[in-house]
Amino acid sequence: MPTLLGVPFLGRRRETASEPPTSRENIRDAAGPQASPNAQAPNNFSSEFTGSMFPSRRAEILSAHQRSTASQEPLHTPASPTKAKSPDSVAQRTTAFQHRRPWRRLLYIPQDFPDDYVDDTFLMELQKNANVRMYNYSTVVMQTTVVTQHISSIVVFIAVFINLYRGALTGNLLLWCSTVITVIGIISWDLLCLTLRTPVQRIIRLGMIKGAVLFALLLFGLSPILRTLTEDTSSDTIWAMTVIFFFVNLAFHDYSTGNLTNIRFPGSVSLNAAVLASVLLASQLDSNLSVFAFLTFALKWFALFPIFRRYLKRISAAASMVTTVVLALVATAMFMYISRAIAMLHVFSTLFITFGCPLWLIWVQRYKNEIHGPWDEARPIVHHYYH
């Protein structure tokens, strides 16, 4: 027997192997319901087995449980999940944001916001079509009369030159007619401006008359030179340059009604272009008297007559409309004997500008989309103080 040979552990192993199954159940009952290895972690397992368990059996159960737990552990430990932000840090940031200084639309002061930051009220100041002007058809038609008057005056001037060039009109008759028209214009000026006349305006009118007289005398002395100015230039070049200068005159003419006493830019460009065109046309005439009469008529027609038309429109819109109709009829009648095609073109262009263009403007106005907002440049307000 092994016990008799002095090997006590062999006897214990036999006794353990020969124990009935009920003894293991008694040990599990003595350990309590928490003795199951799946209920607690291995670190707390040894503390559960106390009481009536003998040392050898307790050691074997502990070693077997440790081996089973080690075999069930995964090979790789999963990565720890990302730590969520603590509510305290979020609250601190919110508090810090609330304690910021209020945002101001100024770039030259240091602020706690980036340079491209805008607040919620940025688009509240958006304005669409704030400066859009709604036009009335009759008002626009009345405003187009200044354009048709100037076009008709250019057509009349060209018709006068053609008649003078062909010999249907003499220089003496043109000089007398232009003088009579100038006197009638001055008398009409006085009658229309009777309620608005002041000494200052009378002085300005007298100064204009003196300047016109001096310029006429100068033209009379320079007429022989101007008649032979373009002898070496071909007629085609002169006609082409004349057309270009008249288009410049039409484009840069002062169509406003506020300038009543002097000629300013761009009206000065228009007047210079008309004078150059008149000089080119006068160089194609035969006699010095015709050159002088034609240039005198050009001076009155392009320098004085536009001022009279602007003043007439400012005083009475009905009188301005009558002047427009008279000029259009005179231009059409004078060109009817020269070229019917040009006469009909003038009629259709006058009707289109007077009645068609206002309709076009009002129709296009609905598609206008003008945006204003805080991104626009600042406009300084200048205060004028008069002492």
Side-chain angles (χ1 to χ4, degrees):
M1 294 299 290
T3 56
L4 298 177
L5 296 177
V7 187
F9 63 90
L10 294 177
R12 294 192 186 114
R13 186 173 297 172
R14 285 195 188 98
E15 292 174 0
T16 305
S18 62
E19 286 181 357
T22 57
S23 62
R24 296 181 180 179
E25 296 177 358
N26 295 333
I27 293 173
R28 190 178 292 112
D29 296 337
Q34 298 177 355
S36 176
N38 299 326
Q40 294 276 343
N43 297 332
N44 299 329
F45 184 82
S46 61
S47 62
E48 301 292 339
F49 295 93
T50 56
S52 60
M53 294 182 62
F54 44 87
S56 60
R57 183 60 179 166
R58 184 172 59 189
E60 291 179 5
I61 293 174
L62 286 174
S63 60
H65 182 72
Q66 291 175 359
R67 286 194 300 271
S68 63
T69 305
S71 62
Q72 293 177 2
E73 291 179 355
L75 296 177
H76 301 283
T77 305
S80 59
T82 305
K83 294 183 180 181
K85 297 181 180 180
S86 62
D88 296 337
S89 61
V90 176
Q92 292 176 359
R93 292 183 181 179
T94 306
T95 306
F97 180 79
Q98 292 177 355
H99 286 292
R100 284 182 178 181
R101 294 180 179 178
W103 177 76
R104 302 171 62 188
R105 196 163 58 241
L106 299 173
L107 289 177
Y108 55 85
I109 61 173
Q111 300 188 68
D112 298 333
F113 301 89
D115 292 341
D116 57 349
Y117 173 81
V118 291
D119 58 353
D120 297 336
T121 62
F122 182 72
L123 292 179
M124 294 178 62
E125 302 180 14
L126 177 65
Q127 297 178 356
K128 291 185 177 181
N129 299 330
N131 299 326
V132 174
R133 179 182 177 184
M134 303 306 296
Y135 295 100
N136 189 12
Y137 179 72
S138 60
T139 305
V140 179
V141 169
M142 294 297 298
Q143 295 297 328
T144 58
T145 56
V146 293
V147 181
T148 53
Q149 284 178 6
H150 193 63
I151 294 175
S152 299
S153 65
I154 293 177
V155 174
V156 169
F157 183 79
I158 295 175
V160 168
F161 167 76
I162 293 175
N163 291 323
L164 192 62
Y165 182 77
R166 290 180 177 180
L169 181 66
T170 61
N172 192 11
L173 180 61
L174 178 61
L175 184 61
W176 281 105
C177 290
S178 61
T179 304
V180 171
I181 292 174
T182 303
V183 173
I184 293 174
I186 294 174
I187 295 174
S188 301
W189 183 296
D190 291 337
L191 293 178
L192 292 173
C193 306
L194 185 61
T195 57
L196 301 176
R197 227 174 69 182
T198 58
V200 177
Q201 291 186 357
R202 188 183 300 113
I203 293 174
I204 293 174
R205 188 193 63 185
L206 293 176
M208 292 172 58
I209 295 175
K210 291 179 181 178
V213 171
L214 292 176
F215 197 77
L217 294 176
L218 182 63
L219 286 177
F220 183 77
L222 295 177
S223 295
I225 300 175
L226 296 177
R227 184 177 62 84
T228 59
L229 185 63
T230 59
E231 283 185 351
D232 298 333
T233 307
S234 62
S235 300
D236 296 337
T237 304
I238 294 175
W239 306 141
M241 293 180 64
T242 302
V243 171
I244 293 173
F245 284 134
F246 274 126
F247 273 112
V248 173
N249 172 263
L250 186 64
F252 289 93
H253 181 70
D254 188 6
Y255 295 101
S256 63
T257 58
N259 186 17
L260 303 176
T261 57
N262 53 7
I263 300 174
R264 298 176 298 182
F265 182 83
S268 58
V269 177
S270 175
L271 178 59
N272 291 331
V275 170
L276 288 175
S278 303
V279 170
L280 291 176
L281 293 177
S283 63
Q284 302 298 307
L285 299 177
D286 297 332
S287 62
N288 296 334
L289 181 61
S290 298
V291 172
F292 170 70
F294 183 72
L295 291 179
T296 305
F297 173 72
L299 174 65
K300 300 172 183 177
W301 195 253
F302 291 110
L304 300 179
F305 189 46
I307 298 177
F308 174 77
R309 295 200 310 263
R310 286 195 291 267
Y311 212 94
L312 188 64
K313 182 176 178 58
R314 185 173 181 179
I315 294 175
S316 174
S320 178
M321 182 61 70
V322 172
T323 306
T324 304
V325 175
V326 171
L327 281 175
L329 292 177
V330 170
T332 304
M334 293 183 69
F335 250 97
M336 191 64 69
Y337 298 98
I338 301 173
S339 174
R340 292 186 178 182
I342 297 178
M344 297 306 297
L345 180 62
H346 173 257
V347 171
F348 286 121
S349 62
T350 302
L351 293 176
F352 175 73
I353 293 173
T354 306
F355 301 103
C357 289
L359 287 176
W360 191 7
L361 176 63
I362 295 173
W363 179 74
V364 173
Q365 196 73 9
R366 70 179 70 180
Y367 298 103
K368 188 172 183 179
N369 189 12
E370 184 180 0
I371 298 176
H372 293 278
W375 53 82
D376 294 336
E377 64 276 6
R379 297 182 180 180
I381 300 176
V382 181
H383 300 279
H384 298 279
Y385 298 94
Y386 299 95
H387 300 283

